[in-house]
Amino acid sequence: MAFGDEPLSRSSMIVADRRIAFGRIALFLVALLVGGAFAGLAIEATGSSGGALEAFDDYLLRIARFTLWQALLSTLLSVLPAVLLARALARHPAFPGRAFLLRLFAVPLALPAIVAALGVLALYGRAGFFAPVFTALSGERWPGIYGLSGILVAHVFFNLPLAARLFLNALESIPADQWRLAAQLGMGARASFRFLEWPAMRAALPGIAGLVFMLCVTSFTIVLLLGGGPRATTLEVAIYQALRFDFDPARALALTLVQVLLAGSIVVALTRLGASLTGDANLPVAPRRMVWRSMSETIFNTALILASFLFVAGPMAATVIAGLQAELGRLVAEEAVREAAMTSLVFAALSAALCLLLSLALVAARRALEMQRGALSPSFLERAADSGAAMVLIVPPLVIGAGWFILLRHVGDVFSFAPVMVVTVNAVMAMPFAIRSIRPAYDAASARHERLCLALGISGWNRFRLVDWPALRRPAATALAFAMALSFGDLGVIALFGSDQVQTLPYLLLQRMGSYRTEDAAGLALFLGLLCLALMFLADRLGKETE
């Protein structure tokens, strides 16, 4: 019988109870954050005297339809080319620059949405680098890429590389002997696709498409910056506008309820499909395989890979070029920029630390409950500790912020709560990624040392310092860097609670864009993007050293 299936003794159960108690506290804090948001919505609903019901009108239905429509189009434009791109990369496992290309495709995962949006505008906007070309082709002044077209381009920029890496991961799982057999049989491109590649990608297709669809439904920053007006507005942007500009809590309540219902339905569907809500796109080393390729297929695959490279690299290069054209020295010397950068760093560090503490508590509690039950079925508490953090993805950050915004306005000055709200919401939203990073190392360390710790009476802080921490140091550092990067570049909650007194770099960047100081915004975007990429690079490097 495996150790994880054996019930614990009474003394060991006492030790496990401490970890379970900390896990209960972590779950309570997560539930308090999400439940408080719903409490704010419920209070507003009971006191709105029918205002919230009246907000369920044609405007809300139109916003909901556009949210689903743009998500569907974005998914199709991201996933279908990703199938061809992943297949091209799989059939060319060794060519100069392949490793660099895959690293480039990982950059959009780390890039803040506001930076990517500025890159798209710098390339395709009214004053973008391609504006003269489009003006010459159309014969009239290029109006810029706003509205649905801008949203789709930005979403494809983010999601095409993600989907391609996930499909490539599925293709890399095909056994090498099947590729050798296909080469020996002289299978061409069509036969290989039919009998080898498509079955592997078809199994992964529902989960990948569902994940991309979920990301597009809950997209906020992209739509806020590139939507271009009321005709291209999604539910989350409408919630933001209802609270910050119109201050219509009843309208915000109705929009939030529809968004939660929509996001919850998608998450349930993703769970049934077995999709990963956190979108792991880590890739193994490409195996050497024998592939029969014709010259026409090689030319097509080369053109496809080159076009994808240019599409993904274009907005990044435009961001760098536009940022370097700004007065970077003046920006660095500005007190507002330095304060916003320091605020962002402090908030990101606090969010990452809180995220790591809560994640460690849940991971330890889940392991203790698993050992305590032996071969019995998992309890509700164990299931909650295992998947409770991931379920916060049902309620996007802006929705949680909207609920607390409505609730806290009955308490005092809403904007004075900005530090607490930004830190806690960003910490909880990064927990699914942090848990996935540290759980394997913690479970492996527990399986190796649990009996020895019980025999020697090592528990509490001493156990964590002497036994658990050496195994968790690298994964914890990865989780910290990843959580810091997510928090550092987030615009969702600070867009609601930000003010002249509390500003982060993304919020300051949004203000500069709103006041048409585009050069300053480009410089700030360069700073923000480089800092987030550095944090993500650190997280990726530490994660590889852990493996």
Side-chain angles (χ1 to χ4, degrees), residues 26 92 107 146 166 187 277 376 391 416 462 500:
H92 297 270
V107 171
Y146 290 100
L166 292 171
M187 280 190 180
L277 297 176
L376 300 177
M391 295 308 291
S416 63
N462 287 331
D500 292 337

Side-chain angles (χ1 to χ4, degrees), residues 13-42:
M13 288 178 65
I14 295 175
V15 175
D17 285 343
R18 297 175 185 172
R19 285 177 280 175
I20 295 172
F22 284 118
R24 290 179 188 271
I25 294 173
L27 281 175
F28 171 77
L29 293 176
V30 173
L32 178 64
L33 181 68
V34 179
F38 282 103
L41 299 175

Side-chain angles (χ1 to χ4, degrees), residues 327-353:
E327 299 179 24
L328 299 180
R330 177 181 58 81
L331 285 176
V332 172
E334 281 190 27
E335 184 178 356
V337 174
R338 292 200 303 268
E339 289 182 354
M342 183 58 63
T343 301
S344 295
L345 286 172
V346 171
F347 284 0
L350 292 175
S351 294

Side-chain angles (χ1 to χ4, degrees), residues 24-70:
R24 290 179 188 271
I25 294 173
L27 281 175
F28 171 77
L29 293 176
V30 173
L32 178 64
L33 181 68
V34 179
F38 282 103
L41 299 175
I43 291 172
E44 184 63 32
T46 56
S48 60
S49 301
L53 294 177
E54 294 175 359
F56 285 91
D57 53 12
D58 293 339
Y59 170 78
L60 189 148
L61 294 177
R62 180 168 61 83
I63 296 296
R65 284 198 300 269
F66 181 81
T67 300
L68 293 173
W69 176 240
Q70 62 85 21

Side-chain angles (χ1 to χ4, degrees), residues 178-238:
Q178 293 188 15
W179 288 104
R180 286 194 295 269
L181 179 61
Q184 292 170 2
L185 295 176
M187 280 190 180
R190 182 175 300 178
S192 297
F193 179 77
R194 178 182 178 185
F195 295 108
L196 287 180
E197 296 160 332
W198 176 240
M201 289 192 288
R202 182 177 56 194
L205 177 62
I208 295 173
L211 176 62
V212 173
F213 188 80
M214 175 70 175
L215 293 173
C216 296
V217 165
T218 57
S219 176
F220 168 69
T221 305
I222 293 297
V223 182
L224 178 66
L225 297 180
L226 299 176
R231 297 184 62 183
T233 299
T234 57
L235 288 166
E236 290 205 20
V237 174

